[in-house]
Amino acid sequence: MEVKIGVQHAPREIVLESGQSAEEVERVVSEALAGKSQLLSLVDEHGRKVLVPTERLAYVEIGEPTPRKVGFGAL
């Protein structure tokens, strides 16, 4: 699932493919914004952690799960 994170005073957004479900990502973001944590912490498909200070979050966009493309078909 694609997750886009907007960071205040940063010219580009952070885009990552996460193996977490939409509900898990939403729960983590909600907890971070509620003040339970000072960092938003997400893990991408390759096991890398992305940490963003909650006071710098502008927005978090949670995309639809994308099915894996298999084969050599034309796009």
Side-chain angles (χ1 to χ4, degrees), residues 44-60:
D44 73 1
E45 286 184 333
H46 303 287
R48 296 178 290 214
K49 265 192 175 180
V50 176
L51 302 170
V52 180
T54 54
E55 70 268 1
R56 296 289 181 200
L57 285 176
Y59 63 90
V60 177

Side-chain angles (χ1 to χ4, degrees), residues 14-29:
I14 299 170
V15 180
L16 65 117
E17 287 291 329
S18 177
Q20 296 170 298
S21 69
E23 292 80 22
E24 286 179 289
V25 173
E26 185 175 355
R27 180 184 51 78
V28 170
V29 171

Side-chain angles (χ1 to χ4, degrees), residues 32-52:
L33 292 175
K36 294 183 181 179
S37 172
Q38 293 183 350
L39 291 173
L40 170 62
S41 175
L42 296 173
V43 180
D44 73 1
E45 286 184 333
H46 303 287
R48 296 178 290 214
K49 265 192 175 180
V50 176
L51 302 170
V52 180

